[in-house]
Amino acid sequence: MKRYFVFLLCCLFVDRSAIAAERWAIVVGIGNYPQSSGWRPINGDKDLDLVVPMLKKNGLPDGHITILANEQATKENIKNAIHTLLANLRSGDIVYFHFSGHGQLVTDVNGDEGDYGYDESIVPYDAASKYDFNGYKGQNHIVDDELNKWLMAVRKRIGNNGRLLVVLDACHSGGGSRDECDEEDFVRGSRDCFNMPVIASQVKSSRNSIKWMCVSACKSYQGNYEHKIDDETRCGRLSFALSKILVPNITVRQLREQLERQYENMALPPLPQEPEIECGPAMTDTMTVL
């Protein structure tokens, strides 16, 4: 009888833990960068109208969604939003991080990219497009190394039972494929890399492996063209696609299949663009995304 009572308590504890898991989100959308930054306007802020309702449909309450739009989306505010979130997280929670805005390749100053020589970065509101542009030295770019450090703190708080989904509706292509394209005003990112001085004696580090699920709007060598909803309205191609397909209980495999299908059903961009999904070793095809 005693063993049965202990077993029953254990079952109740497991059930309460499953119920206690909560969903949280940080959503960043930038469309109107400062004119002094050198970045052209895009429609990253318009993605908020797609992403936030999608998250609510997936069970996230208003109080669990942090929104940073345009001038609110500075590097410091993004960092603080993640650190504030950490205080609320518990083991088993589910976290969604979304960035819609410009992306750029930045000189790899710690050597973790090998011979490639560049890190990927997302571009906050207060980051300029070129080194030494109006005195800017690159301090506000959020390179992948730094973002990964912030996200690793999230991963540690939610544990192996938690889920972390990172969505990047930006572009990190450093190629010149957009030079002759009339649609350049509606591409997220820059064909110009952000080149910084590299100290030859700097200590080299190794590249970190991903420990979450990351969904990107395009391959690393492709441009991210905004989706034209009508003659006056454009939005992120990835944000639009996810708003159509990301529903409760969708699995990783289903997301892959439906995302590719949704891209194919949308108006074709001027040049090929395919979504990319990377998963950490703990994410299996049968796991639910949110």
Side-chain angles (χ1 to χ4, degrees):
M1 183 67 181
K2 183 178 180 181
R3 289 183 178 178
Y4 176 78
F5 181 70
V6 172
F7 173 76
L8 183 60
L9 284 178
C10 289
C11 290
L12 288 173
F13 177 78
V14 170
D15 288 344
R16 286 179 60 83
S17 297
I19 294 173
E22 295 185 293
R23 293 174 171 85
W24 303 84
I26 297 174
V27 186
V28 182
I30 312 172
N32 300 313
Y33 285 82
Q35 188 173 1
S36 60
S37 70
W39 290 108
R40 60 186 178 278
I42 49 174
N43 294 284
D45 50 345
K46 305 297 191 302
D47 293 358
L48 300 176
D49 295 333
L50 299 169
V51 175
V52 174
M54 175 194 74
L55 292 173
K56 292 180 180 179
K57 182 175 64 178
N58 280 273
L60 277 81
D62 287 332
H64 286 202
I65 303 174
T66 300
I67 301 171
L68 299 174
N70 292 318
E71 65 273 7
Q72 300 171 328
T74 63
K75 178 177 182 177
E76 189 67 18
N77 284 349
I78 296 172
K79 179 181 179 180
N80 287 341
I82 294 175
H83 285 184
T84 300
L85 175 62
L86 288 173
N88 295 314
L89 293 178
R90 291 178 294 180
S91 177
D93 281 355
I94 301 166
V95 178
Y96 178 99
F97 177 84
H98 185 110
F99 180 85
S100 285
H102 281 302
Q104 192 175 29
L105 293 179
V106 177
T107 302
D108 172 27
V109 297
N110 67 355
D112 67 328
E113 299 293 337
D115 294 335
Y116 181 55
Y118 287 95
D119 279 306
E120 295 177 349
S121 78
I122 55 176
V123 181
Y125 180 81
D126 52 347
S129 60
K130 295 181 180 180
Y131 182 79
D132 214 18
F133 189 75
N134 292 329
Y136 178 70
K137 304 296 185 181
Q139 65 274 11
N140 292 333
H141 277 66
I142 302 177
V143 299
D144 52 10
D145 301 326
E146 189 168 20
L147 180 60
N148 288 350
K149 181 179 178 181
W150 300 348
L151 295 176
M152 275 301 300
V154 173
R155 164 51 70 196
K156 290 179 180 179
R157 289 302 297 266
I158 63 178
N160 293 330
N161 293 327
R163 277 167 285 165
L164 174 56
L165 174 59
V166 179
V167 176
L168 303 178
D169 203 339
C171 170
H172 306 106
S173 173
S177 60
R178 299 184 296 276
D179 291 2
E180 305 301 326
C181 179
D182 293 336
E183 297 287 325
E184 184 172 355
D185 286 344
F186 303 104
V187 177
R188 298 184 178 183
S190 173
R191 63 180 173 284
D192 296 322
C193 300
F194 192 91
N195 294 303
M196 296 189 294
V198 178
I199 302 173
S201 61
Q202 216 156 9
V203 176
K204 303 296 182 180
S205 62
S206 58
R207 185 177 177 87
N208 295 320
S209 59
I210 189 171
K211 298 186 183 298
W212 43 83
M213 182 176 183
C214 182
V215 184
S216 302
C218 58
K219 305 292 186 182
S220 61
Y221 53 86
Q222 295 176 333
N224 179 14
Y225 295 91
E226 294 190 328
H227 176 59
K228 186 176 181 180
I229 298 177
D230 54 45
D231 290 340
E232 297 182 354
T233 309
R234 292 176 184 262
C235 62
R237 186 167 294 270
L238 177 59
S239 298
F240 181 85
L242 289 178
S243 73
K244 297 296 183 182
I245 66 173
L246 194 53
V247 295
N249 299 319
I250 188 172
T251 66
V252 173
R253 178 187 294 114
Q254 291 169 334
L255 180 65
R256 288 182 188 277
E257 295 171 350
Q258 294 186 32
L259 186 57
E260 290 180 4
R261 191 176 304 120
Q262 182 64 42
Y263 261 51
E264 292 171 356
N265 291 337
M266 295 161 66
L268 293 175
L271 292 171
Q273 180 178 343
E274 307 159 79
E276 185 167 60
I277 298 179
E278 296 179 86
C279 289
M283 292 290 294
T284 64
D285 280 354
T286 57
M287 289 183 64
T288 55
V289 176
L290 276 181

